[in-house]
Amino acid sequence: MKALNFTIVAYDSGKPQKSASADVTVNIINVNDMDPVFSQSSYDAEVLENSPAGTHVVTVTATDADEGRIGQVMYSLVGEHSSEFTVDHDSGEVLVLNPSFLDRETTSEITIQVMASDGAPADTRRTVSVPV
């Protein structure tokens, strides 16, 4: 938390002039006003068909300019094919989850969506996604 400190001085118009002062501290509370931002607008990766579960696909990276807990980024997968892969919630590493889904003769290209969420409470949480 950041704080501003200052002193207020009030003078009267009497003779002799008198004054009084007060020290003021204003605590500035961080609000969740920044979205997470991925380091790339999209990610490309290649993986061999029938790669075993746990095979590295790609690591995505996002940052959030908010300070403290609300600036911490967590990753998840959303949308079509999200159940065929997994993502480490902290590191953004995407891994194969279902090896049988990776069949080049059936599907030569797959797009999944990785979502980055900040650490704010659910009612103020900000999220963005990126295609992989």
Side-chain angles (χ1 to χ4, degrees), residues 1-67:
M1 182 179 325
K2 298 197 187 248
L4 295 174
N5 298 304
F6 55 92
T7 302
I8 296 178
V9 180
Y11 297 94
D12 68 13
S13 56
K15 299 280 185 199
Q17 189 176 42
K18 296 190 180 196
S19 66
S21 63
D23 293 327
V24 178
T25 300
V26 178
N27 292 317
I28 301 171
I29 300 170
N30 189 24
V31 296
N32 190 23
D33 60 344
M34 304 299 289
D35 289 331
V37 177
F38 280 99
S39 62
Q40 297 176 212
S41 59
S42 65
Y43 290 82
D44 294 316
E46 293 182 2
V47 65
L48 297 175
E49 67 179 335
N50 300 315
S51 291
T55 299
H56 173 84
V57 178
V58 67
T59 299
V60 299
T61 305
T63 56
D64 188 308
D66 286 310
E67 291 184 0

Side-chain angles (χ1 to χ4, degrees), residues 32-126:
N32 190 23
D33 60 344
M34 304 299 289
D35 289 331
V37 177
F38 280 99
S39 62
Q40 297 176 212
S41 59
S42 65
Y43 290 82
D44 294 316
E46 293 182 2
V47 65
L48 297 175
E49 67 179 335
N50 300 315
S51 291
T55 299
H56 173 84
V57 178
V58 67
T59 299
V60 299
T61 305
T63 56
D64 188 308
D66 286 310
E67 291 184 0
R69 183 180 59 89
I70 61 175
Q72 295 174 347
V73 176
M74 296 161 290
Y75 303 95
S76 59
L77 297 178
V78 294
E80 188 177 16
H81 309 305
S82 61
S83 62
E84 313 302 338
F85 299 87
T86 187
V87 64
D88 183 282
H89 298 291
D90 297 318
S91 71
E93 181 182 21
V94 178
L95 306 171
V96 173
L97 186 61
N98 179 4
S100 63
F101 180 72
L102 300 176
D103 183 352
R104 173 111 171 55
E105 288 74 35
T106 304
T107 306
S108 63
E109 187 172 292
I110 300 163
T111 301
I112 59 175
Q113 293 288 324
V114 179
M115 184 169 69
S117 303
D118 64 22
D123 61 335
T124 60
R125 184 170 299 144
R126 291 176 174 250

